[in-house]
């Protein structure tokens, strides 16, 4: 309100100056005297942000996390036909802190230990357990609530983290931190951990991009930040960090040191890693760094009888013909044979049953399912690596087989080519990150292609507005220049627009200032225009400018899980609404100019000004959203045959088939090894 009053006061000062026939210098002094109080009013308005209750934010975030992982567990088939049994034992002593040190450290914390010491076991042997007891182990048995989960590739670390997250959400009470699962594959330890975690939170839960007002401040800059950074700084996030081994080995020591510095010993956390890389990091001859105050557990291989029971049950029961197809494979479980080693992990077991267990035939004339006896052929698969490679190669065709419950929309060759491209995009353009987000797909485009495309789109709009004259060439050039300016890093998507009083005031002041300058020139020249008409026109232009610039993007509510396709639809609506408001404001100003006596413009200047305004309107619409960047990237990649035109439908379909998993607004390949396997293939 204060900036608006200042703008109205400036307009009134100009009207008074005309009434008393003041000179230009006297008029300028009159207006300039109001700049200082106007600036103070603006600063007072800028910091007047409503307070935020982090307890409420945490409660809403917990609802979103719970809903997200309940849905994702269904899609991943974690409970189909039932959860695979996962057991663990205490890790070797050289991989964890000593038990007396852990108990002494927890008791020495200010305010006492985080749990009940009466529930602590007498030694690390009490950490052993299986399946759903992981929540109890972490909450009641680990004195410091800092845990390292170790296991072999595909041993079930990620699934165990999901179970732990769901258990912690169920146990959570007001004031407890919210567990959030992060993949470390995209983290560079040279970057502060909390800054990276905050970026991941913004990516997965867009509602955390909302600014956090004072007195909440970020530790990095001691200045107001957003809710993602505020939640981390306040200790309201319990990070579950998956994939420590996915970092380059040369960075493992640096990563452990960064974890210790960023997350103090009282901060609960969980870190998951493959055993060998973690052991190598802790036994470097040049230096030794371990995770402060952390206990450790080691996942055990699947028991042969448990794996056999799972395969038979998935095939319909132990006495069905489909279950008897597995007899040769089951006879080799628990042995040192290649197939016995490969199917000793939940991942290998999942891949094998997805490929070889027959499903209800959706297409009667489809080919018979391959027989699992093929896995026992040691001439074809002389070692475990050969079996693992075969399972990854066969999994994607099995997911898109004709007998799959979902109907096929794309040919097998096109599907494979698109998945390979997406995997290679993550490896080359996202530094191996598992996070596939549609609003970053423009990184796959050459810079020149993106710039020229943006320029041509804006130039075409200007040509259509200005007419096919010399003005058209000028407007095309302006559009191309605007495209080059706009062609920068894409912004995160938005969900909807709302009016911002601050931005409205800024736009109103900007528009009014432009008209005021024109009014001064008119008064100097003495064109005989009615000052009341000019003041009215100035207010109209200022109002339209305020409407055009007074829009602010708004993020979704934290309690709402935002799927990637839903976020894209919301962002597209935001773009359309923003462009419609700008064009409406442009049309209103054009009508005001045309209806004002003495201000009628010739076609040339009219086309130039309004063509430029239209280009600016498109630029404003693009600046609000990520949809325009995505459309350009999709069109380019689809034209080159890299991805289907209906890319979001393709990603959703791959998620429903289990090839991709979904984490909030982010897609990931089902397993990082599947992503890397596809990235090594030719598209």
């Amino acid at each position: 309100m204060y900036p608006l009053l200042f703008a109205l006061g400036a307009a009134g000062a100009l009207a008074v100056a005309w009434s008393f026939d003041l000179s230009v210098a006297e008029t300028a002094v009159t207006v300039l005297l109001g700049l200082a109080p106007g600036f103070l009013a603006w600063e007072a308005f800028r910091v007047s942000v409503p307070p935020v209750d982090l307890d409420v934010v945490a409660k809403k975030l917990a609802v979103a996390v719970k809903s997200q992982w309940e849905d994702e567990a269904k899609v991943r088939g974690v409970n189909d036909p039932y959860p695979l049994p996962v057991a663990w034992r205490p890790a070797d002593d050289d991989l964890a802190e000593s038990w007396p040190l852990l108990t002494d450290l927890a008791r020495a914390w200010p305010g006492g230990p985080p749990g009940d010491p009466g529930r602590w076991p007498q030694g690390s042997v009490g950490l052993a357990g299986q399946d759903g007891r992981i929540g109890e182990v972490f909450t009641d048995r680990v004195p410091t609530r800092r845990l390292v989960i170790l296991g072999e590739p595909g041993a079930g670390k990620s699934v165990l983290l999901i179970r732990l997250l769901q258990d912690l959400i169920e146990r959570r009470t007001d004031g407890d931190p919210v567990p959030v699962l992060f993949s470390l594959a995209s983290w560079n330890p040279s970057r502060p951990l909390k800054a990276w975690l905050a970026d991941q939170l913004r990516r997965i839960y867009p509602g955390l991009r909302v600014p956090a007002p004072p007195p909440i401040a970020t530790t990095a800059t001691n200045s107001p930040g957003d809710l993602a950074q505020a939640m981390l700084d306040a200790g309201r996030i319990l990070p579950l960090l998956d994939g420590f081994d996915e970092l380059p080995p040369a960075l493992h020591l640096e990563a452990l040191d960064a974890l210790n510095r960023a997350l103090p010993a009282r901060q609960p956390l969980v870190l998951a890693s493959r055993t060998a890389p973690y052991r190598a990091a802790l036994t470097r001859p040049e230096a030794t760094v371990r995770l402060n105050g952390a206990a450790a557990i080691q996942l055990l291989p699947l028991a042969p009888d448990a794996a056999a029971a799972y395969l038979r049950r998935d095939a319909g029961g132990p006495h069905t013909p489909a279950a008897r197809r597995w007899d040769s494979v089951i006879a080799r479980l628990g042995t040192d044979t290649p197939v016995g080693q490969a199917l000793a992990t939940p991942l290998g077991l999942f891949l094998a049953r997805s490929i070889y267990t027959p499903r209800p035939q959706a297409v009667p004339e489809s080919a018979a399912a391959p027989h699992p006896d093929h896995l026992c052929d040691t001439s074809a698969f002389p070692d475990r690596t050969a079996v693992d490679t075969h399972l990854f190669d066969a999994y994607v065709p099995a997911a898109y087989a004709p007998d799959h419950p979902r109907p096929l929309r794309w040919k097998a060759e096109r599907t494979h080519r698109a998945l390979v491209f997406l995997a290679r995009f993550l490896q080359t353009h996202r530094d191996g990150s598992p996070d596939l987000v549609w609003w970053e797909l423009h990184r796959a485009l050459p810079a020149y292609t993106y710039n020229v495309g943006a320029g041509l789109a804006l130039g075409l709009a200007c040509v259509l507005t200005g007419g096919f004259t010399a003005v058209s060439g000028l407007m095309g050039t302006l559009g191309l220049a605007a495209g080059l300016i706009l062609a920068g890093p894409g912004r995160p998507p938005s969900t909807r627009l709302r009016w911002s009083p601050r931005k409205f005031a800024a736009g109103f002041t900007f528009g009014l200032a432009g008209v005021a300058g024109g009014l001064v020139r008119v008064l100097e020249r003495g064109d005989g225009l009615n000052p009341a008409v000019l003041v009215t026109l100035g207010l109209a232009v200022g109002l339209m400018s305020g409407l055009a610039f007074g829009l602010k993007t708004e993020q979704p509510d934290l309690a709402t899980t935002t799927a990637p396709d839903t976020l894209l639809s919301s962002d597209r609506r935001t773009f359309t609404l923003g462009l419609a408001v700008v064009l409406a404001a442009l049309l209103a100003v054009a009508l005001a100019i045309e209806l004002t006596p003495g201000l009628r413009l010739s076609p040339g200047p009219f086309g130039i000004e309004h063509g430029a305004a239209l280009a600016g309107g498109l630029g404003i619409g693009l600046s609000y959203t990520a949809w325009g960047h995505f459309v350009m990237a999709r069109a380019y990649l689809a034209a080159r045959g890299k991805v289907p035109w209906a890319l979001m439908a393709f990603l959703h379909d791959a998620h429903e088939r289990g090839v991709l998993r979904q984490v909030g607004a982010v897609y990931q390949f089902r397993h990082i090894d599947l992503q890397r396997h596809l990235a090594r293939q030719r598209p």
Side-chain angles (χ1 to χ4, degrees):
M1 180 58 71
Y2 291 118
L4 181 58
L5 291 176
F6 168 72
L8 292 175
L14 291 174
V16 171
W18 182 87
S19 300
F20 289 93
D21 199 21
L22 298 181
S23 66
V24 175
E26 292 170 329
T27 303
V29 169
T30 303
V31 175
L32 290 175
L33 287 176
L35 290 181
F39 174 77
L40 295 177
W42 174 263
E43 284 297 306
F45 175 78
R46 188 176 63 86
V47 300
S48 60
V49 184
V52 173
D53 187 345
L54 290 186
D55 288 333
V56 175
V57 174
K59 186 176 297 186
K60 290 185 176 182
L61 179 60
V63 172
V65 171
K66 178 180 180 181
S67 174
Q68 166 196 337
W69 286 107
E70 285 178 349
D71 294 341
E72 190 61 19
K74 295 177 184 177
V75 174
R76 296 192 192 188
V78 173
N79 301 313
D80 180 22
Y82 56 81
L84 268 170
V86 178
W88 60 87
R89 62 169 177 83
D92 296 339
D93 292 340
D94 61 335
L95 300 178
E97 303 278 22
S98 68
W99 193 257
L101 176 62
L102 291 178
T103 56
D104 291 345
L105 179 62
R107 288 191 175 96
W109 282 347
D116 180 7
R119 295 178 176 268
W120 298 346
Q122 296 300 313
S124 61
V125 67
L127 299 180
Q130 67 177 16
D131 301 334
R133 303 189 68 182
I134 184 61
E136 175 192 347
V137 168
F138 178 78
T139 304
D140 298 333
R141 300 190 195 179
V142 178
T144 56
R145 292 186 181 173
R146 293 168 70 89
L147 181 65
V148 178
I149 299 177
L150 302 172
E152 300 308 311
K157 299 181 293 295
S158 298
V159 172
L160 192 63
L161 284 176
I162 295 175
R163 290 183 181 177
L164 175 59
L165 180 144
Q166 292 179 316
D167 191 276
L168 292 175
I169 286 289
E170 293 297 333
R171 293 168 174 261
R172 184 181 179 275
T173 60
D174 291 344
D176 288 346
V178 181
V180 178
L181 185 56
F182 301 90
S183 174
L184 287 175
S186 61
W187 176 44
N188 187 334
S190 62
R191 186 183 184 194
L193 177 67
K194 283 193 174 181
W196 177 81
L197 291 175
D199 279 348
Q200 299 302 303
L201 286 173
R202 297 180 192 109
R203 185 191 304 258
I204 301 173
Y205 307 105
L208 291 177
R209 298 192 190 107
V210 175
I216 302 173
T218 63
T219 55
T221 61
N222 197 30
S223 61
D226 58 13
L227 290 181
Q229 192 68 57
M231 291 285 286
L232 286 166
D233 291 342
R236 303 300 183 95
I237 301 296
L238 197 167
L240 309 182
L241 307 175
D242 192 14
F244 173 82
D245 55 280
E246 294 165 11
L247 297 172
L251 299 178
H252 284 171
L253 280 182
E254 184 182 350
L256 286 174
D257 182 60
L259 286 170
N260 286 333
R261 286 185 284 105
L263 304 174
R266 192 177 175 86
Q267 166 74 54
L269 67 90
V270 179
L271 178 68
S273 173
R274 298 180 183 181
T275 307
Y278 191 75
R279 185 186 297 276
L282 268 59
T283 56
R284 292 278 184 89
E286 67 274 14
T288 299
V289 179
R290 64 177 65 241
L291 190 60
N292 292 339
I297 59 175
Q298 171 78 44
L299 300 190
L300 300 174
L302 282 173
D305 56 344
Y310 185 82
L311 288 174
R312 290 191 174 109
R313 171 62 184 83
D314 184 59
H319 305 296
T320 61
R324 288 194 289 271
R325 289 161 44 93
W326 289 99
D327 286 347
S328 297
V329 171
I330 289 174
R332 290 166 172 78
L333 294 177
T335 68
D336 291 334
T337 60
V339 66
Q341 295 176 8
L343 270 61
T345 65
L347 176 61
L349 208 62
F350 166 80
L351 295 175
R353 65 108 163 178
S354 299
I355 298 167
Y356 291 103
T357 295
R359 302 296 171 188
Q361 296 292 312
V363 183
E365 62 272 15
S366 62
H371 202 286
D373 282 356
H374 181 55
L375 295 173
C376 302
D377 184 357
T378 54
S379 60
F381 309 113
D383 52 31
R384 175 180 176 174
T385 301
V387 178
D388 290 339
T389 301
H390 166 71
L391 292 177
F392 280 130
D393 283 336
Y395 172 65
V396 172
Y400 288 89
D403 61 350
H404 194 279
R406 293 185 63 84
L408 294 175
R409 292 187 55 184
W410 299 274
K411 294 182 179 180
E413 180 183 357
R414 190 175 186 184
T415 298
H416 180 265
R417 183 168 61 248
L419 292 174
V420 168
F421 167 77
L422 294 173
R424 297 184 70 176
F425 166 75
L426 292 175
Q427 294 297 118
T428 57
H429 296 280
R430 297 281 294 117
D431 299 324
S433 169
D435 297 338
L436 177 64
V437 290
W438 59 263
W439 60 90
E440 292 183 351
L441 197 63
H442 66 276
R443 296 187 181 189
L445 274 66
Y448 72 88
T449 303
Y450 181 82
N451 295 349
V452 172
L456 290 177
L458 295 176
L460 179 61
C462 298
V463 167
L464 295 177
T465 303
F468 294 92
T469 63
V471 175
S472 303
L474 174 61
M475 297 321 303
T477 303
L478 290 177
L480 179 59
L484 295 174
I485 294 173
L486 289 173
R491 61 168 295 150
S494 56
T495 55
R496 55 184 178 270
L497 291 175
R498 65 180 178 88
W499 293 111
S500 169
R502 181 175 65 182
K503 288 191 172 184
F504 175 83
F508 183 88
T509 304
F510 177 79
L512 198 60
V515 175
L519 176 59
V520 170
R521 292 188 60 189
V522 168
L523 295 176
E524 281 187 319
R525 291 164 54 186
D527 289 343
L529 295 178
N530 188 337
V533 173
L534 293 177
V535 171
T536 302
L537 176 62
L539 292 176
V541 173
L543 180 61
M544 293 302 103
S545 178
L547 292 176
F549 290 93
L551 298 174
K552 181 179 180 181
T553 57
E554 190 172 88
Q555 304 303 331
D557 185 83
L558 281 174
T560 303
T561 302
T562 305
D565 50 353
T566 303
L567 195 58
L568 176 64
S569 299
S570 299
D571 193 68
R572 181 173 58 244
R573 287 194 299 270
T574 301
F575 171 83
T576 304
L577 177 59
L579 180 61
V581 171
V582 171
L583 294 181
L586 170 64
L587 179 60
V589 172
L591 291 175
I593 293 175
E594 288 298 300
L595 297 177
T596 301
L599 289 184
R600 187 177 301 275
L601 297 177
S602 60
F606 184 85
I608 293 176
E609 292 191 5
H610 291 78
L614 178 57
L618 289 172
I620 293 173
L622 289 174
S623 69
Y624 283 140
T625 66
W627 177 76
H629 302 83
F630 168 75
V631 169
M632 295 178 60
R634 182 188 61 180
Y636 174 84
L637 296 174
R640 297 196 60 190
K642 301 292 186 181
V643 298
W645 177 261
L647 178 58
M648 296 306 294
F650 175 81
L651 296 177
H652 178 74
D653 180 73
H655 175 235
E656 292 294 322
R657 294 175 183 272
V659 177
L660 299 180
R661 59 191 184 190
Q662 182 182 321
V663 183
V666 174
Y667 282 122
Q668 299 175 345
F669 280 91
R670 185 180 187 96
H671 196 275
I672 190 67
D673 287 344
L674 175 61
Q675 173 184 321
R676 292 169 177 169
H677 176 80
L678 289 171
R680 290 191 293 267
Q681 298 184 7
R682 296 180 62 86

